[in-house]
Amino acid sequence: MSVAHGEQVRILEEHGQESGRSLNWWGMVFFIGSEALIFANLIAAFLYLEIRNNSQVWKLEFSIVPFIASVILFSSSWFVHQAGSGIRKGNQKQLIWGLTGTIILGLIFLGCQAYEYNSLITGPEHFTISSSIFGSAFFTLTGFHGLHVTIGAIFLIVCLIRSTRGHFTKQQHFAIQAAEMYWHFVDIVWVFVFSLVYLVPLLR
């Protein structure tokens, strides 16, 4: 996080109010909305290319790894909710263990994704981003989501460091609220990506 961005977050925390829908809250909503539009375009492109290039080709060899990774990522939503709920009550311990749990599960998810990528690239079919249109669509869509998980994890790590230094209070904690909103967004997007890429092919 840049110094300028960090200063902006601190200013928002000082002037933002938790009650009601503050300008800070709406700003975060608009930011997430813009990110959602990008994902919507990628998902639409994936569907278009799949229909155009014969859906039978668009199927990965079954692997349990994405399913385990999904359970882990979805579980992290509970931890980040606990973190947000904790600071809203002024509970610093709950904030810290909630953030810690979310970060750990997020990093495990990224590890699972890296393992899956390595298995696909080094496997018998050498499935890569340049091997086919499906490869390009698959790695672009899942990789872009992985990038957002990475950004979210970094954001949460910064929040955790600040939490251990007592930077957040019951009244001032916009950074935690923003991180919680962003992480829930990342989880919701994965519901669509996971369903489209991994679940739907199993029904064919």
Side-chain angles (χ1 to χ4, degrees), residues 3-202:
V3 175
H5 181 66
E7 182 63 25
Q8 182 181 23
V9 169
R10 283 190 288 273
I11 292 173
L12 289 172
E13 288 172 355
E14 292 174 359
H15 296 282
Q17 297 296 326
E18 180 65 21
S19 60
R21 300 304 186 196
S22 66
L23 182 61
N24 307 336
W25 187 88
W26 283 111
M28 193 63 191
V29 168
F30 286 130
F31 169 72
I32 290 176
S34 66
E35 293 292 294
L37 288 176
I38 297 175
F39 274 106
N41 285 325
L42 289 175
I43 291 173
F46 187 96
L47 287 170
Y48 172 77
L49 291 172
E50 180 180 17
I51 294 172
R52 182 179 179 182
N53 292 276
N54 185 0
S55 61
Q56 290 299 112
V57 181
W58 295 62
K59 188 173 183 178
L60 294 171
E61 183 177 349
F62 178 80
S63 171
I64 195 63
V65 174
F67 291 84
I68 295 175
S70 298
V71 171
I72 291 171
L73 186 63
F74 297 147
S75 299
S76 70
S77 272
W78 182 82
F79 281 92
V80 78
H81 173 72
Q82 291 301 309
S85 176
I87 192 58
R88 284 190 290 273
K89 296 181 295 185
N91 189 330
Q92 296 289 337
K93 289 184 178 180
Q94 184 174 334
L95 168 64
I96 291 174
W97 69 252
L99 289 175
T100 302
T102 308
I103 293 167
I104 291 174
L105 293 180
L107 293 178
I108 293 175
F109 172 84
L110 292 173
C112 289
Q113 188 173 57
Y115 176 83
E116 180 192 20
Y117 281 5
N118 181 69
S119 298
L120 292 172
I121 294 172
T122 61
E125 297 183 1
H126 299 290
F127 185 67
T128 67
I129 193 171
S130 59
S131 60
S132 64
I133 296 178
F134 178 35
S136 298
F138 169 81
F139 283 105
T140 299
L141 181 57
T142 59
F144 192 63
H145 178 268
L147 174 63
H148 278 69
V149 175
T150 302
I151 293 172
I154 294 172
F155 191 6
L156 289 169
I157 290 172
V158 173
C159 288
L160 177 59
I161 294 173
R162 294 186 60 192
S163 297
T164 59
R165 297 176 179 177
H167 288 184
F168 303 115
T169 65
K170 182 179 180 180
Q171 292 75 28
Q172 297 180 1
H173 55 266
F174 175 69
I176 300 298
Q177 184 182 22
E180 182 183 1
M181 293 170 67
Y182 185 84
W183 196 260
H184 285 315
F185 162 70
V186 168
D187 282 358
I188 292 172
V189 168
W190 184 247
V191 172
F192 293 97
V193 175
F194 176 73
S195 299
L196 177 63
V197 176
Y198 300 99
L199 290 183
V200 172
L202 293 179

